[in-house]
Amino acid sequence: MNGQTSQTCLMDSSFLEQAAETLKVVAHPVRLRLLELICREEVPVTLLAEQAGIPQAVASQHLRLLARAGAVESRRAGHQVYYYITNPHVLALLSCMQQHAPGMDTSQETRP
């Protein structure tokens, strides 16, 4: 590989710092589960907590971190708060993890 090609692949330092911060926020099993639960549609926080098997206050804390990182947004309808993914790159990241995580069988096929 020539030196010119390798330099064009280098990412800006500020981009790398931002990417690392985003990955840190996402890199938690509870937050990954919450993202997985809202990857197709908005879901109320009460249902997210129930489906994730965690207290609602814990779910809300994790969702606030994800919102500060720009991964999700929320909307209020009466007493209920709904969360949804706003960043398409988060969906791409989840998909990539499902496809490439070691030891994960993501096939939808059922075997006899």
Side-chain angles (χ1 to χ4, degrees):
M1 181 184 321
N2 65 35
Q4 199 173 31
T5 304
S6 65
Q7 286 185 346
T8 59
C9 294
L10 294 177
M11 293 181 230
D12 179 76
S13 295
S14 63
F15 169 80
L16 292 174
E17 288 178 27
Q18 183 181 4
E21 287 302 313
T22 300
L23 290 172
K24 277 192 241 181
V25 169
V26 175
H28 190 285
V30 170
R31 291 191 283 271
L32 286 170
R33 173 66 68 211
L34 293 170
L35 288 169
E36 178 187 38
L37 291 169
I38 61 174
C39 72
R40 289 183 181 82
E41 61 186 350
E42 66 178 22
V43 180
V45 70
T46 53
L47 185 57
L48 287 171
E50 180 183 318
Q51 290 178 340
I54 58 175
Q56 184 176 334
V58 173
S60 293
Q61 287 176 328
H62 285 288
L63 289 162
R64 276 193 295 277
L65 286 172
L66 290 167
R68 273 190 250 140
V72 302
E73 285 187 18
S74 64
R75 72 170 180 87
R76 183 174 291 279
H79 293 291
Q80 197 63 265
V81 178
Y82 291 82
Y83 281 87
Y84 53 97
I85 293 178
T86 56
N87 186 334
H89 299 293
V90 172
L91 295 173
L93 181 61
L94 290 172
S95 177
C96 184
M97 288 178 359
Q98 287 175 330
Q99 292 173 11
H100 300 288
M104 290 188 66
D105 179 14
T106 59
S107 67
Q108 298 297 320
E109 300 175 24
T110 55
R111 299 173 195 231

